[in-house]
PDB file of all heavy atoms in Angstrom:
ATOM      1  N   ASP O 557     128.436  91.516 155.505  1.00  0.00           N
ATOM      2  CA  ASP O 557     128.339  90.107 155.111  1.00  0.00           C
ATOM      3  C   ASP O 557     129.279  89.763 153.953  1.00  0.00           C
ATOM      4  O   ASP O 557     128.895  89.120 152.991  1.00  0.00           O
ATOM      5  CB  ASP O 557     126.886  89.764 154.768  1.00  0.00           C
ATOM      6  CG  ASP O 557     126.645  88.262 154.732  1.00  0.00           C
ATOM      7  OD1 ASP O 557     127.265  87.529 155.532  1.00  0.00           O
ATOM      8  OD2 ASP O 557     125.850  87.807 153.887  1.00  0.00           O
ATOM      9  N   GLU O 558     130.536  90.213 154.063  1.00  0.00           N
ATOM     10  CA  GLU O 558     131.516  89.950 153.002  1.00  0.00           C
ATOM     11  C   GLU O 558     132.425  88.784 153.399  1.00  0.00           C
ATOM     12  O   GLU O 558     132.761  88.613 154.569  1.00  0.00           O
ATOM     13  CB  GLU O 558     132.345  91.203 152.733  1.00  0.00           C
ATOM     14  CG  GLU O 558     131.503  92.325 152.147  1.00  0.00           C
ATOM     15  CD  GLU O 558     132.325  93.497 151.681  1.00  0.00           C
ATOM     16  OE1 GLU O 558     133.406  93.291 151.098  1.00  0.00           O
ATOM     17  OE2 GLU O 558     131.868  94.630 151.911  1.00  0.00           O
ATOM     18  N   PRO O 559     132.850  87.986 152.432  1.00  0.00           N
ATOM     19  CA  PRO O 559     133.741  86.863 152.732  1.00  0.00           C
ATOM     20  C   PRO O 559     135.108  87.344 153.229  1.00  0.00           C
ATOM     21  O   PRO O 559     135.634  88.364 152.756  1.00  0.00           O
ATOM     22  CB  PRO O 559     133.884  86.128 151.408  1.00  0.00           C
ATOM     23  CG  PRO O 559     133.127  86.898 150.397  1.00  0.00           C
ATOM     24  CD  PRO O 559     132.499  88.083 151.035  1.00  0.00           C
ATOM     25  N   LEU O 560     135.658  86.606 154.168  1.00  0.00           N
ATOM     26  CA  LEU O 560     136.946  86.962 154.760  1.00  0.00           C
ATOM     27  C   LEU O 560     138.029  87.237 153.722  1.00  0.00           C
ATOM     28  O   LEU O 560     138.752  88.234 153.861  1.00  0.00           O
ATOM     29  CB  LEU O 560     137.398  85.877 155.747  1.00  0.00           C
ATOM     30  CG  LEU O 560     138.717  86.125 156.458  1.00  0.00           C
ATOM     31  CD1 LEU O 560     138.662  87.415 157.284  1.00  0.00           C
ATOM     32  CD2 LEU O 560     139.087  84.933 157.318  1.00  0.00           C
ATOM     33  N   PRO O 561     138.187  86.437 152.673  1.00  0.00           N
ATOM     34  CA  PRO O 561     139.252  86.739 151.695  1.00  0.00           C
ATOM     35  C   PRO O 561     139.107  88.122 151.056  1.00  0.00           C
ATOM     36  O   PRO O 561     140.106  88.811 150.825  1.00  0.00           O
ATOM     37  CB  PRO O 561     139.121  85.624 150.659  1.00  0.00           C
ATOM     38  CG  PRO O 561     138.509  84.491 151.414  1.00  0.00           C
ATOM     39  CD  PRO O 561     137.554  85.139 152.378  1.00  0.00           C
ATOM     40  N   GLU O 562     137.875  88.560 150.788  1.00  0.00           N
ATOM     41  CA  GLU O 562     137.675  89.884 150.200  1.00  0.00           C
ATOM     42  C   GLU O 562     137.994  90.983 151.206  1.00  0.00           C
ATOM     43  O   GLU O 562     138.561  92.016 150.851  1.00  0.00           O
ATOM     44  CB  GLU O 562     136.239  90.025 149.695  1.00  0.00           C
ATOM     45  CG  GLU O 562     135.970  89.191 148.466  1.00  0.00           C
ATOM     46  CD  GLU O 562     134.556  89.336 147.953  1.00  0.00           C
ATOM     47  OE1 GLU O 562     133.883  90.349 148.252  1.00  0.00           O
ATOM     48  OE2 GLU O 562     134.110  88.421 147.243  1.00  0.00           O
ATOM     49  N   VAL O 563     137.620  90.748 152.468  1.00  0.00           N
ATOM     50  CA  VAL O 563     137.914  91.724 153.513  1.00  0.00           C
ATOM     51  C   VAL O 563     139.422  91.868 153.687  1.00  0.00           C
ATOM     52  O   VAL O 563     139.948  92.976 153.767  1.00  0.00           O
ATOM     53  CB  VAL O 563     137.231  91.311 154.835  1.00  0.00           C
ATOM     54  CG1 VAL O 563     137.673  92.192 155.989  1.00  0.00           C
ATOM     55  CG2 VAL O 563     135.711  91.349 154.681  1.00  0.00           C
ATOM     56  N   VAL O 564     140.129  90.752 153.730  1.00  0.00           N
ATOM     57  CA  VAL O 564     141.583  90.784 153.875  1.00  0.00           C
ATOM     58  C   VAL O 564     142.219  91.525 152.696  1.00  0.00           C
ATOM     59  O   VAL O 564     143.131  92.335 152.878  1.00  0.00           O
ATOM     60  CB  VAL O 564     142.144  89.354 154.032  1.00  0.00           C
ATOM     61  CG1 VAL O 564     143.652  89.319 153.838  1.00  0.00           C
ATOM     62  CG2 VAL O 564     141.773  88.801 155.403  1.00  0.00           C
ATOM     63  N   ALA O 565     141.723  91.280 151.500  1.00  0.00           N
ATOM     64  CA  ALA O 565     142.272  91.970 150.319  1.00  0.00           C
ATOM     65  C   ALA O 565     142.095  93.480 150.448  1.00  0.00           C
ATOM     66  O   ALA O 565     143.006  94.247 150.121  1.00  0.00           O
ATOM     67  CB  ALA O 565     141.607  91.452 149.049  1.00  0.00           C
ATOM     68  N   ARG O 566     140.940  93.922 150.943  1.00  0.00           N
ATOM     69  CA  ARG O 566     140.730  95.367 151.111  1.00  0.00           C
ATOM     70  C   ARG O 566     141.640  95.935 152.194  1.00  0.00           C
ATOM     71  O   ARG O 566     142.193  97.021 152.028  1.00  0.00           O
ATOM     72  CB  ARG O 566     139.265  95.660 151.411  1.00  0.00           C
ATOM     73  CG  ARG O 566     138.451  95.593 150.130  1.00  0.00           C
ATOM     74  CD  ARG O 566     137.012  95.970 150.261  1.00  0.00           C
ATOM     75  NE  ARG O 566     136.763  97.254 150.884  1.00  0.00           N
ATOM     76  CZ  ARG O 566     135.589  97.580 151.399  1.00  0.00           C
ATOM     77  NH1 ARG O 566     134.580  96.725 151.374  1.00  0.00           N
ATOM     78  NH2 ARG O 566     135.414  98.776 151.939  1.00  0.00           N
ATOM     79  N   PHE O 567     141.788  95.225 153.312  1.00  0.00           N
ATOM     80  CA  PHE O 567     142.707  95.686 154.349  1.00  0.00           C
ATOM     81  C   PHE O 567     144.118  95.802 153.801  1.00  0.00           C
ATOM     82  O   PHE O 567     144.855  96.736 154.133  1.00  0.00           O
ATOM     83  CB  PHE O 567     142.709  94.747 155.555  1.00  0.00           C
ATOM     84  CG  PHE O 567     141.836  95.201 156.673  1.00  0.00           C
ATOM     85  CD1 PHE O 567     140.622  94.591 156.911  1.00  0.00           C
ATOM     86  CD2 PHE O 567     142.215  96.250 157.507  1.00  0.00           C
ATOM     87  CE1 PHE O 567     139.802  95.016 157.938  1.00  0.00           C
ATOM     88  CE2 PHE O 567     141.408  96.679 158.540  1.00  0.00           C
ATOM     89  CZ  PHE O 567     140.191  96.058 158.759  1.00  0.00           C
ATOM     90  N   ASN O 568     144.519  94.864 152.976  1.00  0.00           N
ATOM     91  CA  ASN O 568     145.890  94.832 152.465  1.00  0.00           C
ATOM     92  C   ASN O 568     146.206  96.002 151.533  1.00  0.00           C
ATOM     93  O   ASN O 568     147.378  96.303 151.306  1.00  0.00           O
ATOM     94  CB  ASN O 568     146.192  93.492 151.803  1.00  0.00           C
ATOM     95  CG  ASN O 568     146.399  92.405 152.836  1.00  0.00           C
ATOM     96  OD1 ASN O 568     146.611  92.687 154.023  1.00  0.00           O
ATOM     97  ND2 ASN O 568     146.319  91.165 152.409  1.00  0.00           N
ATOM     98  N   ARG O 569     145.201  96.686 151.049  1.00  0.00           N
ATOM     99  CA  ARG O 569     145.446  97.888 150.249  1.00  0.00           C
ATOM    100  C   ARG O 569     146.050  99.007 151.099  1.00  0.00           C
ATOM    101  O   ARG O 569     146.706  99.900 150.582  1.00  0.00           O
ATOM    102  CB  ARG O 569     144.150  98.386 149.619  1.00  0.00           C
ATOM    103  CG  ARG O 569     143.611  97.480 148.567  1.00  0.00           C
ATOM    104  CD  ARG O 569     142.344  98.072 147.964  1.00  0.00           C
ATOM    105  NE  ARG O 569     141.642  97.042 147.214  1.00  0.00           N
ATOM    106  CZ  ARG O 569     140.343  97.011 147.030  1.00  0.00           C
ATOM    107  NH1 ARG O 569     139.583  97.968 147.524  1.00  0.00           N
ATOM    108  NH2 ARG O 569     139.790  96.052 146.335  1.00  0.00           N
ATOM    109  N   TYR O 570     145.798  98.959 152.407  1.00  0.00           N
ATOM    110  CA  TYR O 570     146.225 100.027 153.316  1.00  0.00           C
ATOM    111  C   TYR O 570     147.296  99.582 154.305  1.00  0.00           C
ATOM    112  O   TYR O 570     147.913 100.411 154.951  1.00  0.00           O
ATOM    113  CB  TYR O 570     145.016 100.537 154.119  1.00  0.00           C
ATOM    114  CG  TYR O 570     143.886 100.977 153.236  1.00  0.00           C
ATOM    115  CD1 TYR O 570     142.836 100.128 152.939  1.00  0.00           C
ATOM    116  CD2 TYR O 570     143.898 102.245 152.658  1.00  0.00           C
ATOM    117  CE1 TYR O 570     141.806 100.534 152.112  1.00  0.00           C
ATOM    118  CE2 TYR O 570     142.874 102.659 151.822  1.00  0.00           C
ATOM    119  CZ  TYR O 570     141.827 101.793 151.553  1.00  0.00           C
ATOM    120  OH  TYR O 570     140.815 102.195 150.729  1.00  0.00           O
ATOM    121  N   ALA O 571     147.508  98.291 154.460  1.00  0.00           N
ATOM    122  CA  ALA O 571     148.353  97.756 155.525  1.00  0.00           C
ATOM    123  C   ALA O 571     149.842  97.818 155.192  1.00  0.00           C
ATOM    124  O   ALA O 571     150.253  97.439 154.100  1.00  0.00           O
ATOM    125  CB  ALA O 571     147.964  96.305 155.818  1.00  0.00           C
ATOM    126  N   ALA O 572     150.620  98.274 156.148  1.00  0.00           N
ATOM    127  CA  ALA O 572     152.073  98.204 156.019  1.00  0.00           C
ATOM    128  C   ALA O 572     152.530  96.756 156.188  1.00  0.00           C
ATOM    129  O   ALA O 572     153.491  96.317 155.570  1.00  0.00           O
ATOM    130  CB  ALA O 572     152.738  99.087 157.072  1.00  0.00           C
ATOM    131  N   ARG O 573     151.818  96.022 157.029  1.00  0.00           N
ATOM    132  CA  ARG O 573     152.087  94.598 157.272  1.00  0.00           C
ATOM    133  C   ARG O 573     150.854  93.835 156.792  1.00  0.00           C
ATOM    134  O   ARG O 573     149.817  93.859 157.433  1.00  0.00           O
ATOM    135  CB  ARG O 573     152.317  94.355 158.752  1.00  0.00           C
ATOM    136  CG  ARG O 573     152.504  92.902 159.134  1.00  0.00           C
ATOM    137  CD  ARG O 573     152.576  92.735 160.639  1.00  0.00           C
ATOM    138  NE  ARG O 573     153.750  93.370 161.183  1.00  0.00           N
ATOM    139  CZ  ARG O 573     154.951  92.795 161.274  1.00  0.00           C
ATOM    140  NH1 ARG O 573     155.113  91.563 160.873  1.00  0.00           N
ATOM    141  NH2 ARG O 573     155.959  93.451 161.776  1.00  0.00           N
ATOM    142  N   PRO O 574     150.937  93.184 155.629  1.00  0.00           N
ATOM    143  CA  PRO O 574     149.750  92.530 155.069  1.00  0.00           C
ATOM    144  C   PRO O 574     149.236  91.383 155.932  1.00  0.00           C
ATOM    145  O   PRO O 574     149.988  90.738 156.657  1.00  0.00           O
ATOM    146  CB  PRO O 574     150.222  92.021 153.713  1.00  0.00           C
ATOM    147  CG  PRO O 574     151.695  91.982 153.790  1.00  0.00           C
ATOM    148  CD  PRO O 574     152.113  93.000 154.800  1.00  0.00           C
ATOM    149  N   LEU O 575     147.924  91.161 155.818  1.00  0.00           N
ATOM    150  CA  LEU O 575     147.290  90.003 156.436  1.00  0.00           C
ATOM    151  C   LEU O 575     147.336  88.843 155.455  1.00  0.00           C
ATOM    152  O   LEU O 575     147.165  89.039 154.249  1.00  0.00           O
ATOM    153  CB  LEU O 575     145.829  90.297 156.757  1.00  0.00           C
ATOM    154  CG  LEU O 575     145.538  91.308 157.834  1.00  0.00           C
ATOM    155  CD1 LEU O 575     144.034  91.572 157.912  1.00  0.00           C
ATOM    156  CD2 LEU O 575     146.041  90.819 159.176  1.00  0.00           C
ATOM    157  N   VAL O 576     147.543  87.647 155.977  1.00  0.00           N
ATOM    158  CA  VAL O 576     147.563  86.438 155.167  1.00  0.00           C
ATOM    159  C   VAL O 576     146.620  85.443 155.814  1.00  0.00           C
ATOM    160  O   VAL O 576     146.629  85.274 157.044  1.00  0.00           O
ATOM    161  CB  VAL O 576     148.996  85.847 155.098  1.00  0.00           C
ATOM    162  CG1 VAL O 576     149.001  84.517 154.368  1.00  0.00           C
ATOM    163  CG2 VAL O 576     149.940  86.831 154.443  1.00  0.00           C
ATOM    164  N   ILE O 577     145.803  84.782 155.015  1.00  0.00           N
ATOM    165  CA  ILE O 577     144.927  83.728 155.518  1.00  0.00           C
ATOM    166  C   ILE O 577     145.669  82.413 155.389  1.00  0.00           C
ATOM    167  O   ILE O 577     146.017  81.994 154.287  1.00  0.00           O
ATOM    168  CB  ILE O 577     143.611  83.685 154.730  1.00  0.00           C
ATOM    169  CG1 ILE O 577     142.883  85.025 154.867  1.00  0.00           C
ATOM    170  CG2 ILE O 577     142.736  82.537 155.228  1.00  0.00           C
ATOM    171  CD1 ILE O 577     141.661  85.154 153.980  1.00  0.00           C
ATOM    172  N   GLY O 578     145.925  81.784 156.528  1.00  0.00           N
ATOM    173  CA  GLY O 578     146.679  80.543 156.547  1.00  0.00           C
ATOM    174  C   GLY O 578     145.821  79.327 156.252  1.00  0.00           C
ATOM    175  O   GLY O 578     144.593  79.406 156.139  1.00  0.00           O
ATOM    176  N   ALA O 579     146.474  78.194 156.133  1.00  0.00           N
ATOM    177  CA  ALA O 579     145.803  76.926 155.862  1.00  0.00           C
ATOM    178  C   ALA O 579     144.822  76.596 156.983  1.00  0.00           C
ATOM    179  O   ALA O 579     145.080  76.865 158.152  1.00  0.00           O
ATOM    180  CB  ALA O 579     146.838  75.820 155.729  1.00  0.00           C
ATOM    181  N   GLY O 580     143.710  76.036 156.593  1.00  0.00           N
ATOM    182  CA  GLY O 580     142.734  75.566 157.569  1.00  0.00           C
ATOM    183  C   GLY O 580     141.722  76.602 158.023  1.00  0.00           C
ATOM    184  O   GLY O 580     140.797  76.285 158.755  1.00  0.00           O
ATOM    185  N   VAL O 581     141.874  77.854 157.592  1.00  0.00           N
ATOM    186  CA  VAL O 581     140.898  78.885 157.957  1.00  0.00           C
ATOM    187  C   VAL O 581     139.671  78.679 157.074  1.00  0.00           C
ATOM    188  O   VAL O 581     139.783  78.637 155.848  1.00  0.00           O
ATOM    189  CB  VAL O 581     141.475  80.304 157.767  1.00  0.00           C
ATOM    190  CG1 VAL O 581     140.412  81.356 158.013  1.00  0.00           C
ATOM    191  CG2 VAL O 581     142.662  80.515 158.696  1.00  0.00           C
ATOM    192  N   PRO O 582     138.483  78.535 157.690  1.00  0.00           N
ATOM    193  CA  PRO O 582     137.274  78.303 156.890  1.00  0.00           C
ATOM    194  C   PRO O 582     137.045  79.412 155.861  1.00  0.00           C
ATOM    195  O   PRO O 582     137.120  80.597 156.180  1.00  0.00           O
ATOM    196  CB  PRO O 582     136.147  78.297 157.931  1.00  0.00           C
ATOM    197  CG  PRO O 582     136.827  77.959 159.222  1.00  0.00           C
ATOM    198  CD  PRO O 582     138.207  78.560 159.120  1.00  0.00           C
ATOM    199  N   ALA O 583     136.761  79.020 154.642  1.00  0.00           N
ATOM    200  CA  ALA O 583     136.558  79.987 153.561  1.00  0.00           C
ATOM    201  C   ALA O 583     135.215  80.694 153.668  1.00  0.00           C
ATOM    202  O   ALA O 583     135.001  81.696 153.000  1.00  0.00           O
ATOM    203  CB  ALA O 583     136.668  79.273 152.219  1.00  0.00           C
ATOM    204  N   ASP O 584     134.315  80.170 154.502  1.00  0.00           N
ATOM    205  CA  ASP O 584     132.970  80.736 154.561  1.00  0.00           C
ATOM    206  C   ASP O 584     132.760  81.741 155.691  1.00  0.00           C
ATOM    207  O   ASP O 584     131.629  82.141 155.959  1.00  0.00           O
ATOM    208  CB  ASP O 584     131.937  79.613 154.663  1.00  0.00           C
ATOM    209  CG  ASP O 584     132.094  78.774 155.917  1.00  0.00           C
ATOM    210  OD1 ASP O 584     133.113  78.907 156.625  1.00  0.00           O
ATOM    211  OD2 ASP O 584     131.192  77.971 156.195  1.00  0.00           O
ATOM    212  N   ILE O 585     133.817  82.191 156.343  1.00  0.00           N
ATOM    213  CA  ILE O 585     133.672  83.225 157.380  1.00  0.00           C
ATOM    214  C   ILE O 585     133.215  84.510 156.705  1.00  0.00           C
ATOM    215  O   ILE O 585     133.795  84.960 155.710  1.00  0.00           O
ATOM    216  CB  ILE O 585     134.994  83.450 158.131  1.00  0.00           C
ATOM    217  CG1 ILE O 585     135.335  82.217 158.974  1.00  0.00           C
ATOM    218  CG2 ILE O 585     134.925  84.692 159.010  1.00  0.00           C
ATOM    219  CD1 ILE O 585     136.679  82.288 159.667  1.00  0.00           C
ATOM    220  N   ARG O 586     132.144  85.097 157.241  1.00  0.00           N
ATOM    221  CA  ARG O 586     131.583  86.338 156.718  1.00  0.00           C
ATOM    222  C   ARG O 586     131.828  87.455 157.725  1.00  0.00           C
ATOM    223  O   ARG O 586     131.744  87.240 158.928  1.00  0.00           O
ATOM    224  CB  ARG O 586     130.080  86.198 156.472  1.00  0.00           C
ATOM    225  CG  ARG O 586     129.663  84.987 155.647  1.00  0.00           C
ATOM    226  CD  ARG O 586     130.120  85.029 154.240  1.00  0.00           C
ATOM    227  NE  ARG O 586     129.379  86.021 153.465  1.00  0.00           N
ATOM    228  CZ  ARG O 586     129.420  86.117 152.152  1.00  0.00           C
ATOM    229  NH1 ARG O 586     130.177  85.286 151.459  1.00  0.00           N
ATOM    230  NH2 ARG O 586     128.753  87.050 151.521  1.00  0.00           N
ATOM    231  N   ILE O 587     132.112  88.645 157.227  1.00  0.00           N
ATOM    232  CA  ILE O 587     132.463  89.782 158.079  1.00  0.00           C
ATOM    233  C   ILE O 587     131.460  90.918 157.873  1.00  0.00           C
ATOM    234  O   ILE O 587     131.165  91.301 156.740  1.00  0.00           O
ATOM    235  CB  ILE O 587     133.882  90.293 157.749  1.00  0.00           C
ATOM    236  CG1 ILE O 587     134.914  89.174 157.854  1.00  0.00           C
ATOM    237  CG2 ILE O 587     134.240  91.505 158.606  1.00  0.00           C
ATOM    238  CD1 ILE O 587     135.090  88.600 159.234  1.00  0.00           C
ATOM    239  N   THR O 588     130.972  91.439 158.989  1.00  0.00           N
ATOM    240  CA  THR O 588     130.142  92.637 158.995  1.00  0.00           C
ATOM    241  C   THR O 588     130.682  93.555 160.078  1.00  0.00           C
ATOM    242  O   THR O 588     130.909  93.104 161.212  1.00  0.00           O
ATOM    243  CB  THR O 588     128.670  92.301 159.284  1.00  0.00           C
ATOM    244  OG1 THR O 588     128.164  91.486 158.218  1.00  0.00           O
ATOM    245  CG2 THR O 588     127.820  93.562 159.401  1.00  0.00           C
ATOM    246  N   GLY O 589     130.938  94.797 159.739  1.00  0.00           N
ATOM    247  CA  GLY O 589     131.415  95.754 160.741  1.00  0.00           C
ATOM    248  C   GLY O 589     132.143  96.907 160.094  1.00  0.00           C
ATOM    249  O   GLY O 589     132.340  96.957 158.883  1.00  0.00           O
ATOM    250  N   VAL O 590     132.531  97.852 160.944  1.00  0.00           N
ATOM    251  CA  VAL O 590     133.309  99.011 160.527  1.00  0.00           C
ATOM    252  C   VAL O 590     134.632  98.961 161.277  1.00  0.00           C
ATOM    253  O   VAL O 590     134.647  98.813 162.502  1.00  0.00           O
ATOM    254  CB  VAL O 590     132.563 100.328 160.839  1.00  0.00           C
ATOM    255  CG1 VAL O 590     133.400 101.533 160.427  1.00  0.00           C
ATOM    256  CG2 VAL O 590     131.210 100.352 160.139  1.00  0.00           C
ATOM    257  N   PHE O 591     135.731  99.071 160.541  1.00  0.00           N
ATOM    258  CA  PHE O 591     137.062  98.898 161.107  1.00  0.00           C
ATOM    259  C   PHE O 591     137.977 100.024 160.652  1.00  0.00           C
ATOM    260  O   PHE O 591     137.816 100.555 159.553  1.00  0.00           O
ATOM    261  CB  PHE O 591     137.657  97.553 160.663  1.00  0.00           C
ATOM    262  CG  PHE O 591     136.777  96.383 160.974  1.00  0.00           C
ATOM    263  CD1 PHE O 591     135.859  95.922 160.057  1.00  0.00           C
ATOM    264  CD2 PHE O 591     136.855  95.755 162.209  1.00  0.00           C
ATOM    265  CE1 PHE O 591     135.030  94.850 160.344  1.00  0.00           C
ATOM    266  CE2 PHE O 591     136.036  94.678 162.509  1.00  0.00           C
ATOM    267  CZ  PHE O 591     135.124  94.225 161.572  1.00  0.00           C
ATOM    268  N   GLU O 592     138.968 100.346 161.480  1.00  0.00           N
ATOM    269  CA  GLU O 592     139.984 101.332 161.102  1.00  0.00           C
ATOM    270  C   GLU O 592     140.866 100.728 160.012  1.00  0.00           C
ATOM    271  O   GLU O 592     141.447  99.655 160.195  1.00  0.00           O
ATOM    272  CB  GLU O 592     140.846 101.706 162.313  1.00  0.00           C
ATOM    273  CG  GLU O 592     140.091 102.428 163.405  1.00  0.00           C
ATOM    274  CD  GLU O 592     139.598 103.794 162.976  1.00  0.00           C
ATOM    275  OE1 GLU O 592     140.323 104.476 162.210  1.00  0.00           O
ATOM    276  OE2 GLU O 592     138.488 104.166 163.389  1.00  0.00           O
ATOM    277  N   ALA O 593     140.969 101.394 158.884  1.00  0.00           N
ATOM    278  CA  ALA O 593     141.727 100.869 157.745  1.00  0.00           C
ATOM    279  C   ALA O 593     143.199 100.647 158.075  1.00  0.00           C
ATOM    280  O   ALA O 593     143.827  99.746 157.544  1.00  0.00           O
ATOM    281  CB  ALA O 593     141.604 101.812 156.551  1.00  0.00           C
ATOM    282  N   ASN O 594     143.743 101.457 158.984  1.00  0.00           N
ATOM    283  CA  ASN O 594     145.172 101.347 159.305  1.00  0.00           C
ATOM    284  C   ASN O 594     145.442 100.462 160.518  1.00  0.00           C
ATOM    285  O   ASN O 594     146.531 100.500 161.062  1.00  0.00           O
ATOM    286  CB  ASN O 594     145.768 102.733 159.522  1.00  0.00           C
ATOM    287  CG  ASN O 594     145.155 103.451 160.714  1.00  0.00           C
ATOM    288  OD1 ASN O 594     144.221 102.969 161.322  1.00  0.00           O
ATOM    289  ND2 ASN O 594     145.689 104.608 161.037  1.00  0.00           N
ATOM    290  N   ASN O 595     144.457  99.658 160.939  1.00  0.00           N
ATOM    291  CA  ASN O 595     144.653  98.803 162.107  1.00  0.00           C
ATOM    292  C   ASN O 595     144.238  97.368 161.792  1.00  0.00           C
ATOM    293  O   ASN O 595     143.360  96.800 162.437  1.00  0.00           O
ATOM    294  CB  ASN O 595     143.888  99.349 163.315  1.00  0.00           C
ATOM    295  CG  ASN O 595     144.436  98.813 164.619  1.00  0.00           C
ATOM    296  OD1 ASN O 595     145.240  97.881 164.626  1.00  0.00           O
ATOM    297  ND2 ASN O 595     144.001  99.377 165.711  1.00  0.00           N
TER     298      ASN O 595
END
Side-chain angles (χ1 to χ4, degrees):
D557 196 35
E558 294 189 40
L560 181 60
E562 289 181 22
V563 172
V564 166
R566 282 185 53 199
F567 262 105
N568 285 344
R569 292 182 195 151
Y570 305 96
R573 176 186 294 274
L575 292 174
V576 175
I577 300 172
V581 174
D584 62 349
I585 292 175
R586 309 293 288 192
I587 305 296
T588 296
V590 179
F591 306 92
E592 294 294 324
N594 63 354
N595 200 349

